[in-house]
Amino acid sequence: MYMIAGLGNPGRRYTGTRHNTGFEALDRIALHSGASLNMHKFEAEYGTAVIGGQKVLLVKPQTYMNNSGIAVGGLASFYRIEPENIIIICDDINLPVGQLRIRPKGSAGGHNGLKSVISHLGSEDFPRIRIGIGEKPEGWDLADYVLAKMPQEEQAVMDEAYTQALEAAALIAAGETVKAMNLYNVKKKPGGEG
């Protein structure tokens, strides 16, 4: 069994913010697969789907971002899902808006949600799909930037990124991580083409 967890912050006030990119991508996957996240356990909303030919748990932690590992670790333990079968989707301020970076494993890279997941799983050996939200502008506080609503002009680019995240997650679940990296770890050209 696989797990795909989108990281974000629960509650209406965080809907549409940059830090909720993982939630947005997971919603796209749930919609595409016809899954509903109607189960509640380990401080998570989740449901099941078939993605890339695999039975998958789709998970939205309902803690705040910094404690995302409670849900991911709890469900992984309960359903006996190994770290290498857990795909995490989250935002990345070090990537241009809408650009994906897929890695089969690695450090948290300063992302508090990933830090929490690593801590609760006791492993860095899980694939992750990071979606660029752009660098924080000069003079902005980091928390203010990531918790700000995504501007309208970036929505089309992010929309494409969510579709790519769905496709990448399906490839990873099918055992095609390298193919997903080759397809989607491509630098975006200015103007959103890439």
Side-chain angles (χ1 to χ4, degrees), residues 3-111:
M3 179 194 303
I4 303 173
L7 306 189
N9 287 309
R12 291 178 72 168
R13 65 180 282 215
Y14 297 108
T15 302
T17 62
R18 291 182 177 91
H19 226 14
N20 272 30
T21 297
F23 273 14
E24 297 284 346
L26 197 83
D27 285 343
R28 176 68 54 92
I29 293 168
L31 184 69
H32 184 80
S33 62
S36 55
L37 308 182
N38 55 4
M39 292 188 270
H40 303 272
K41 201 178 276 181
F42 300 106
E43 298 194 63
E45 289 179 354
Y46 69 103
T48 58
V50 175
I51 311 272
Q54 299 287 339
K55 187 173 181 189
V56 171
L57 285 187
L58 300 179
V59 177
K60 283 169 89 170
Q62 295 301 293
T63 57
Y64 287 103
M65 177 68 83
N66 298 1
N67 291 314
S68 300
I70 294 170
V72 174
L75 287 167
S77 177
F78 186 80
Y79 286 98
R80 298 196 172 118
I81 304 172
E82 295 299 318
E84 57 268 23
N85 291 349
I86 297 171
I87 303 164
I88 302 293
I89 307 176
C90 64
D91 60 297
D92 191 326
I93 61 162
N94 298 311
L95 292 172
V97 173
Q99 184 173 315
L100 268 58
R101 180 175 291 147
I102 299 159
R103 293 280 181 268
K105 58 184 174 183
S107 72
H111 193 286

